[in-house]
Amino acid sequence: MLLWEIDRPLFELAQLYGFERAARCYRASHHAAQGLLSLVAQHGIACEMRPRLSLYLAIDDSRKLVQDEYALRRRADLPSLYLDHAALLRRFGIRRAGALLSADAADADPVLLTHGLLDISVRRGARLLKDNAVAFDSAAQSVIVGLESGLSIEARHAVLATGYVVPDIVKLKARPASSWAIATRRQPSHLWPEQALIWEASRNYHYGRTTADGRIILGGEDDHALIEPEARNHATPTKVAALKDYLKTLWPQASDRVDFAWSGAFDTTHDGLPLIGAVPGCKNIFAAFGYGGNGITFSFLAAELLAALLAGGSSPLLDDLAIDRDIPG
Ligand SMILES: Cc1cc2nc3c(=O)[nH]c(=O)nc-3n(C[C@H](O)[C@H](O)[C@H](O)COP(=O)(O)OP(=O)(O)OC[C@H]3O[C@@H](n4cnc5c(N)ncnc54)[C@H](O)[C@@H]3O)c2cc1C
C-alpha cells in the first residue's frame, strides 16, 4: 500500500510538533507517494502499480477522531474528504461510523518494484554484493565498510538502508513487533467497490487491499510480545483465524479461503515518521530507515533528501526526520 497518510494522524502529529511541522511532514509524504508513482511510470517499471483511493475507517465510536483529522487535513490542503456512515455505506458498502476518503494513493507488488529499481541501478553502474556489513570505520576522509566475507568497501559516503536491523553504530531504542498477513484466493467478482486501500483510525490498525489478480490481502494483528521467529510461526494459525474473522466483518461478501499467510518483523517510531539523515557521531555515514507502515513511500523521500544533503543542500525536513530528533513521549 503506497499511502501518503502516515501511521500517526495529522492531529496527533500536530499535538507533538505543532501544526506547521506536522503539515510539512504530511505534505512531504504526499509528495513522496506522487514521486514514486511518477518514477515507476517514467521508467516503465512493471510492478502492477495502480493509482488507488484510500479509506481511513473510524473504529467503534471513533467518528470524532476521523472528523478532527479531516478538519486538520483540510487546513493542510491535503486531498481527503469526510464520508459519514450513510455515504460510506452507499459508495463502498462498508458499515462504519465514518471514514476519510483520500486521493493519490497507489498499490503495487513490492518485490517487482524493488527488482525494477535495482535493475535500473545496475544498468547505471551500481554493483550488488551478497554479503553482510559488519564493521564501519569513518575516522578518515572516506568510509570503510567491512564485510563478513573479509572484503571491504571504501567510499566517500555510506548510506545504511538495513531496514529494521539497525547496525550498532546507530544508537536507537527499538520496540520491535510482529505482524501477520493473509492473501485470499482469487475472487475478482467479490472485491469491494473501487478496490480502495483500507486502513483504520487506530494505533494497532488492520489494513486491506486487493491485488491485480483479484485477491484480498489483509494484515495486522500486531503483537509486541511475540518477537522470536519460532513463537511468531507458532502463533500464525491463531492470527490467520483472527484476520479471517476481521474479513467477515469488513467485507462478508468475500470468500475467506486463504491461499497464503505470512508474518514478519515490524517496527515503528513513536511519531510514525522515518529516520533519515546523518548518523550522529559517524562522519559521512547516513541512514534511510523507513519504519512504520509507509516505509516504501518514505524510501522515495529518503532518496531525495539524502541526494540533496550529499550535494550540499539542506531542508527543514532533515531536522524533522533526523535520527537524533527529540520525539516527545
Ligand atoms: C508486514 C509488513 C507490512 C508492510 N506494509 C507496508 C506497506 O503497505 N506500505 C509501505 O510503504 N511499507 C510497508 N511496510 C514497511 C516496508 O516494508 C519497509 O519500510 C520497507 O521494506 C523498508 O525498505 P528498506 O529497503 O529500507 O528495508 P528492507 O526492505 O528491510 O531491506 C533491508 C535489507 O538490508 C539487509 N541488511 C540488514 N542488515 C544488513 C547488513 N548489516 N549488511 C547487509 N545487509 C543488511 C536486510 O537483509 C534486508 O534485505 C510493511 C512492513 C511489514 C513488516
Side-chain angles (χ1 to χ4, degrees):
M1 288 170 48
L2 301 171
L3 294 169
W4 53 262
E5 298 163 281
I6 299 172
D7 279 357
R8 272 278 192 145
L10 178 59
F11 80 88
E12 279 185 23
L13 213 51
Q15 281 164 1
L16 287 180
Y17 296 127
F19 174 77
E20 287 310 323
R21 178 168 164 186
R24 180 165 61 231
C25 292
Y26 258 78
R27 289 192 198 106
S29 182
H30 181 262
H31 161 81
Q34 294 301 99
L36 198 51
L37 269 156
S38 311
L39 187 74
V40 166
Q42 184 192 338
H43 292 281
I45 298 173
C47 62
E48 296 174 356
M49 186 172 271
R50 307 178 301 175
R52 293 288 96 165
L53 295 168
S54 90
L55 271 176
Y56 181 58
L57 301 178
I59 54 159
D60 307 328
D61 55 354
S62 69
R63 177 175 35 190
K64 176 160 178 347
L65 293 188
V66 176
Q67 282 171 329
D68 289 351
E69 177 67 6
Y70 173 59
L72 272 206
R73 286 194 192 180
R74 276 192 63 150
R75 193 174 149 202
D77 207 18
L78 292 163
S80 299
L81 287 174
Y82 176 69
L83 300 183
D84 63 13
H85 172 79
L88 179 65
L89 191 59
R90 206 166 40 244
R91 182 160 170 184
F92 290 97
I94 291 175
R95 288 173 197 282
R96 288 291 177 98
L100 294 189
L101 177 65
S102 300
D104 300 340
D107 60 23
D109 179 321
V111 177
L112 293 177
L113 172 61
T114 306
H115 280 256
L117 291 169
L118 288 176
D119 282 347
I120 295 170
S121 307
V122 169
R123 281 203 299 276
R124 290 181 173 186
R127 285 173 64 197
L128 303 183
L129 305 180
K130 187 169 164 52
D131 215 324
N132 224 350
V134 289
F136 301 87
D137 179 358
S138 61
Q141 279 309 92
S142 56
V143 181
I144 298 171
V145 179
L147 304 178
E148 207 168 41
S149 61
L151 297 172
S152 59
I153 300 172
E154 186 171 355
R156 265 192 312 230
H157 305 106
V159 178
L160 308 175
T162 51
Y164 302 121
V165 191
V166 173
D168 290 343
I169 53 165
V170 188
K171 309 275 179 270
L172 273 185
K173 268 190 279 164
R175 192 169 166 255
S178 294
S179 189
W180 283 261
I182 55 171
T184 69
R185 60 181 295 194
R186 290 191 184 97
Q187 42 186 332
S189 49
H190 295 101
L191 305 178
W192 51 79
E194 303 177 62
Q195 297 184 45
L197 310 181
I198 292 177
W199 67 303
E200 295 174 314
S202 150
R203 268 328 262 281
N204 269 342
Y205 57 84
H206 288 98
Y207 59 89
R209 73 169 177 101
T210 61
T211 64
D213 65 353
R215 300 178 193 277
I216 292 172
I217 294 182
L218 274 192
E221 296 298 321
D222 295 5
D223 199 319
H224 284 275
L226 295 173
I227 305 303
E228 294 307 320
E230 207 175 307
R232 201 162 63 202
N233 289 342
H234 189 70
T236 294
T238 315
K239 298 289 187 178
V240 168
L243 287 170
K244 285 169 72 162
D245 285 347
Y246 179 74
L247 178 59
K248 275 195 207 109
T249 56
L250 178 75
W251 193 245
Q253 297 88 325
S255 156
D256 69 351
R257 208 183 83 195
V258 169
D259 276 357
F260 305 100
W262 65 98
S263 63
F266 187 67
D267 205 349
T268 185
T269 53
H270 184 63
D271 59 11
L273 297 174
L275 302 154
I276 298 172
V279 173
C282 300
K283 198 166 44 112
N284 297 329
I285 301 186
F286 302 85
F289 297 138
Y291 275 78
N294 302 65
I296 303 169
T297 305
F298 288 148
S299 69
F300 185 89
L301 191 58
E304 262 194 354
L305 287 174
L306 291 178
L309 183 62
L310 295 188
S314 66
S315 161
L317 285 165
L318 284 164
D319 295 325
D320 300 341
L321 309 178
I323 290 160
D324 56 354
R325 67 179 176 269
D326 192 16
I327 303 181

